[in-house]
Amino acid sequence: MKPILLTFTALLLAPLAALQAEAPDPGQYSAEQFEVKATRGNKAAMRDGVRLSLDVFQPKSDGRFPAILIITPYGNNPGYQKRGTWFAQRGYVVAVADSRGRFDSEGEWDPFDPKHKTDGYDLVEWLAKQPWCDGKVGMMGLSYMGWTQWWTATQGPPSLKAIVPEVAPPDQFYNLPYQNGVLQGVMLDWAGAMAGRVGQIIGPGPYGGFASSERRLSDYMQLPYLKLNELRGALDSPWFEKWIRGNTASDPYWRGIAYQTPQSYAKVAVPSLAVSGWFDGDANGSPMNYLAMKKYGATPDARRPRLVIGPWPHIFNQNRKVGAFDYGADAVINWDGYVCRWFDHWLKGVDNGVMKDAPVHVFVMGRNKWSAEQDWPLPQTRWTKYYLHSKGHANTTNGDGVLSTTAPASGDATSDSYVYDPAKPTLSDFTSGHIEDGAVDTRKSASGTDVLVYTTPPLDEEVEVTGPITAKLYAATSARDTDWMVRLIDVQPDGFSAMLCEGLMRARHRDPDHAGTFNPDKLSLIEPNQVNEYTIEFWRATANAFAKGHHIRVEISSSYFPLYLRNLNTGADNIGLETTSVVATQKIMHTTEQASHIVLPVIPRR
C-alpha cells in the first residue's frame, strides 16, 4: 500500500546474468521498436458521469495496439512514466488512470468505494474502443493497483484479456486494514498519507512521515482509535471512521468492495500472473488468489493462474539484499521481461510457450535458489507438527521452552504463562513503514517476560520449510478479549534470530464451531480463564532452508507494537471505540490433550 515514487529500475532490466534454470524465465519477448508518444489529461466518462483522467503512452505509429491499464491513487510519477514508456516501445498502449477522487480525476475519494469496481470495467471498455487500440486490454500494477485489477476482473469486462496483479492485497480483514481482526499500523499510516485528493506529507520518513518511528510510538498509544486520523491532523478522510466502526467483514461498507468470494471469483474469466515476496506486507493476497482461481475461475484459462514469490519486500525485485541478508545474484530477475512475454501471449497471440512454464516459482532462502513447482502448496510437502514443551518457564530467550516433533507426555509441565499489559506492549523489531527490514533479529523483543520462546536443539541436518504455516494454540486469558501472535524464527549459530513469518488472531474472532479458526464476519464470546482452541493460519508463508546447526524457534506474544495496534483487552464489541485497557494474564497449554503446536510444511531433500 506504499505511496512512493516508483523507480522500477530493477523491474525494467533486460538481459541479466544467467539465472537459475528454475527462476521465471522471460525468454523471447517483444523487442524495443517504437518511438513513444505521451499525452496527459485524457478524460474517460464513467457510467455515473464522473470523468477519470488518464495518461497515455503509445507507440508513435498509425497502427492499432493492445492496451495495458493501470489504475492508481498515487498520481503521475516518474515510475509509471518509465514503465509505460518501456511497454509502449514494445508495441503496447499503456494507460495510467487516476483513481476516482484522486489528482486529476473527478469524484469523491474513498479507498474502498465499490464504484472502483465499475470504474475499472468502464475504463477497460473505454480503452478498447479507442482508435489506437485493437480491442484487447490487459492490466498490471502493484499493491493498491493489484486491488484495482481484481475489483475490475470480478466485473467481467469483455475486452479484458489478462491481468498481472503484483503484491495485491487480499480482502480487508485478511491483511489491510485488519490482519485477522487486528488493525495494522501501516494501514493507518497510509490513511494519513492518503487523506484528501493528493499525497499528504508531514515530515521525513515513510508514508509522508506518518510512519516515522517516533510518531508511530506516540500516536498509536492514543485512544480511541476512531479519532486517530483526526488526532494526526489528517482531517480530509471521512471514510476513516467507517474503517473503525465497521470492525467485522459483514459490515456493508466492506461487503461492497470485497472480491474474495466464490461468487466474485466465478466472474473472473481472464488468466492471472501474480507476484509477491516473503517480506511483502500484503504477502497472503497472491497465494490466496492463486488457489481461489484454480477452484472458481470462470474459464479454463482463468483456472490456470501463475504465482511467483521471491525474497522481496513490498516494493519487490529491487535488490538482492533485504535487511541483514544478501540473497545472491539470482534474487533479482527480469520481471518486466516476463510480464511482457505474458502479455505477448495473451494480448498479441504469440505462441511463446509461457503457459508451458511451471505454474509456481518460489525462491528458497538459505539456499538462495529458485525452484519451479507444479502447485501451491507444494505437492511433496510433509506437514510436520512441532510441539511446545517447557518446565513451566518459557518466558524470554533464556527460558526453558523447547520445540520438538515429539508430542507432550504425561508428567511434563502443562502450561506457560505471561502478562500482557496494553500500556506496555511488546515492541516490534521492525523499524520501517512496512516490513521492509526483512528477516529482522527478534532477540530484543524476545528478551521480555511477555514473550514465550520455544526452540529446537541445533539441527543435525538441513530442514527446508516451504509453504503455508498453521499454529494450533490451546490458550486462556484472564480478559474477555486479547490477541494471539505467533512468529517463526531461524536462529543462527551466532544467535541472530531471523523472523521469517508470523500469524495472529484477535481472540473474539475465533469460530468455536470450526476448531477456533478465524471468522472475519462475527465475534464470539471469550470467558475469562477458559481454555479455547485457536487455529491460526499464518498470513505470511515462507520458503527457507534451516541449515545444519541452526535452530527452529517459535515465539508467542499478545502484541507486536506498532506493527499491530494494541488489543485493549476490554472485551468490547469494538475496540476502536474504547478509551481504557485491561491487563491480562495469558496461558498457553501443552498437555497431552491440549498440545499446542505449529505445523510446518517440510519439504523432502531435493
Side-chain angles (χ1 to χ4, degrees):
M1 296 300 306
K2 192 168 187 176
I4 187 171
L5 296 182
L6 305 176
T7 65
F8 288 105
T9 300
L11 294 178
L12 299 175
L13 290 176
L16 293 172
L19 298 176
Q20 289 290 330
E22 293 186 305
D25 183 4
Q28 297 296 315
Y29 56 89
S30 292
E32 177 183 339
Q33 57 178 313
F34 296 101
E35 294 184 17
V36 177
K37 172 187 176 182
T39 58
R40 294 167 179 81
N42 300 276
K43 294 296 191 293
M46 302 297 97
R47 62 191 63 184
D48 63 354
V50 167
R51 297 186 309 160
L52 303 190
S53 180
L54 304 94
D55 289 357
V56 176
F57 304 86
Q58 61 193 97
K60 191 179 291 185
S61 170
D62 294 332
R64 301 173 69 212
F65 302 91
I68 301 172
L69 173 64
I70 300 170
I71 308 174
T72 174
Y74 300 136
N76 310 329
N77 69 58
Y80 300 127
Q81 297 171 27
K82 189 170 185 178
R83 201 178 195 193
T85 298
W86 190 89
F87 277 92
Q89 289 170 332
R90 288 159 176 79
Y92 293 94
V93 177
V94 178
V96 182
D98 289 330
S99 295
R100 173 181 291 256
R102 292 288 287 177
F103 293 92
D104 295 328
S105 285
E106 299 172 354
E108 297 296 322
W109 165 242
D110 179 332
F112 302 119
D113 186 334
K115 291 187 179 70
H116 293 306
K117 291 181 174 180
T118 53
D119 286 349
Y121 181 108
D122 293 347
L123 285 168
V124 166
E125 295 308 311
W126 181 86
L127 283 171
K129 291 180 174 64
Q130 299 310 299
W132 31 255
C133 182
D134 67 3
K136 295 180 179 179
V137 181
M139 295 184 73
M140 68 180 180
L142 73 164
S143 195
Y144 189 95
M145 292 81 85
W147 257 333
T148 63
Q149 292 178 66
W150 286 111
W151 295 339
T152 298
T154 61
Q155 305 307 294
S159 300
L160 185 65
K161 304 303 178 185
I163 60 175
V164 183
E166 299 162 323
V167 293
D171 277 345
Q172 285 67 32
F173 277 77
Y174 289 95
N175 185 230
L176 299 173
Y178 290 92
Q179 185 68 66
N180 289 53
V182 182
L183 276 169
Q184 282 224 49
V186 67
M187 195 60 175
L188 301 193
D189 301 328
W190 189 84
M194 297 298 285
R197 179 169 288 275
V198 299
Q200 307 300 311
I201 300 175
I202 59 174
Y207 297 88
F210 284 94
S212 68
S213 297
E214 298 78 10
R215 187 177 295 276
R216 273 183 158 187
L217 289 170
S218 61
D219 288 0
Y220 292 158
M221 293 298 289
Q222 300 184 72
L223 300 172
Y225 296 154
L226 180 71
K227 297 296 183 182
L228 275 178
N229 244 24
E230 179 180 332
L231 291 168
R232 304 182 99 190
L235 302 182
D236 195 4
S237 54
W239 34 265
F240 182 78
E241 184 170 323
K242 299 177 184 178
W243 293 11
I244 306 302
R245 291 194 182 278
N247 68 320
T248 61
S250 57
D251 188 273
Y253 178 73
W254 301 118
R255 285 285 190 223
I257 199 61
Y259 75 91
Q260 289 186 311
T261 65
Q263 296 81 7
S264 292
Y265 283 123
K267 297 176 183 177
V268 178
V270 299
S272 56
L273 167 61
V275 63
S276 184
W278 301 126
F279 308 108
D280 171 22
D282 303 330
N284 51 343
S286 294
M288 289 172 74
N289 292 329
Y290 170 86
L291 291 170
M293 288 308 301
K294 282 185 59 183
K295 185 173 183 179
Y296 300 115
T299 64
D301 288 339
R303 291 191 294 273
R304 297 178 66 195
R306 295 297 187 259
L307 177 65
V308 177
I309 310 179
W312 307 313
H314 191 57
I315 306 302
F316 68 101
N317 196 43
Q318 299 290 297
N319 296 292
R320 56 186 279 174
K321 190 174 187 295
V322 181
F325 292 90
D326 187 336
Y327 294 105
D330 298 329
V332 177
I333 65 174
N334 184 1
W335 174 247
D336 267 8
Y338 198 69
V339 172
C340 191
R341 182 177 171 220
W342 174 262
F343 281 139
D344 285 350
H345 177 73
W346 291 109
L347 300 185
K348 293 184 178 180
V350 178
D351 184 12
N352 56 19
V354 71
M355 293 307 291
K356 295 179 182 177
D357 289 0
V360 176
H361 291 86
V362 296
F363 187 94
V364 181
M365 299 177 293
R367 290 200 198 108
N368 294 346
K369 294 183 181 297
W370 286 94
S371 180
E373 301 292 345
Q374 293 306 307
D375 204 358
W376 179 268
L378 277 55
Q380 66 269 37
T381 301
R382 295 176 181 171
W383 303 101
T384 305
K385 294 180 179 179
Y386 280 75
Y387 295 93
L388 310 186
H389 301 262
S390 79
K391 297 178 181 179
H393 302 285
N395 312 71
T396 82
T397 52
N398 296 319
D400 55 23
V402 174
L403 190 66
S404 168
T405 55
T406 302
S410 58
D412 294 345
T414 60
S415 65
D416 290 293
S417 63
Y418 63 95
V419 173
Y420 164 48
D421 182 354
K424 301 175 183 178
T426 304
L427 295 181
S428 163
D429 298 287
F430 293 103
T431 61
S432 58
H434 226 280
I435 54 174
E436 293 94 339
D437 296 338
V440 291
D441 188 349
T442 66
R443 283 178 291 183
K444 184 175 181 180
S445 64
S447 64
T449 58
D450 53 350
V451 180
L452 302 180
V453 180
Y454 302 90
T455 309
T456 67
L459 297 175
D460 293 329
E461 60 181 6
E462 179 188 89
V463 177
E464 181 187 336
V465 173
T466 296
I469 294 166
T470 302
K472 175 76 74 173
L473 296 186
Y474 295 92
T477 176
S478 62
R480 293 191 175 275
D481 191 19
T482 199
D483 293 339
W484 304 110
M485 301 184 179
V486 187
R487 297 179 284 279
L488 179 66
I489 314 295
D490 182 348
V491 182
Q492 303 185 15
D494 65 358
F496 191 102
S497 302
M499 177 178 167
L500 299 173
C501 53
E502 78 266 40
L504 62 152
M505 186 194 297
R506 179 137 294 172
R508 288 200 62 190
H509 271 287
R510 69 178 290 272
D511 189 338
D513 298 324
H514 294 89
T517 55
F518 174 64
N519 185 339
D521 294 317
K522 66 178 183 180
L523 304 175
S524 62
L525 294 176
I526 302 297
E527 290 296 326
N529 301 312
Q530 176 179 303
V531 176
N532 290 310
E533 177 184 14
Y534 297 89
T535 302
I536 301 174
E537 304 288 345
F538 276 35
W539 70 268
R540 277 198 290 155
T542 195
N544 185 71
F546 291 83
K548 179 180 178 180
H550 287 215
H551 307 255
I552 302 173
R553 173 175 290 172
V554 167
E555 297 175 358
I556 299 174
S557 67
S558 290
S559 58
Y560 204 54
F561 178 84
L563 186 65
Y564 305 109
L565 270 66
R566 303 163 297 146
N567 191 329
L568 304 177
N569 291 344
T570 63
D573 288 343
N574 192 330
I575 291 294
L577 310 182
E578 293 290 278
T579 57
T580 60
S581 64
V582 173
V583 177
T585 299
Q586 322 286 54
K587 181 179 288 188
I588 304 296
M589 307 300 296
H590 38 77
T591 67
T592 54
E593 296 80 17
Q594 296 175 325
S596 296
H597 60 271
I598 188 171
V599 182
L600 298 183
V602 175
I603 306 302
R605 291 190 65 84
R606 299 175 186 272

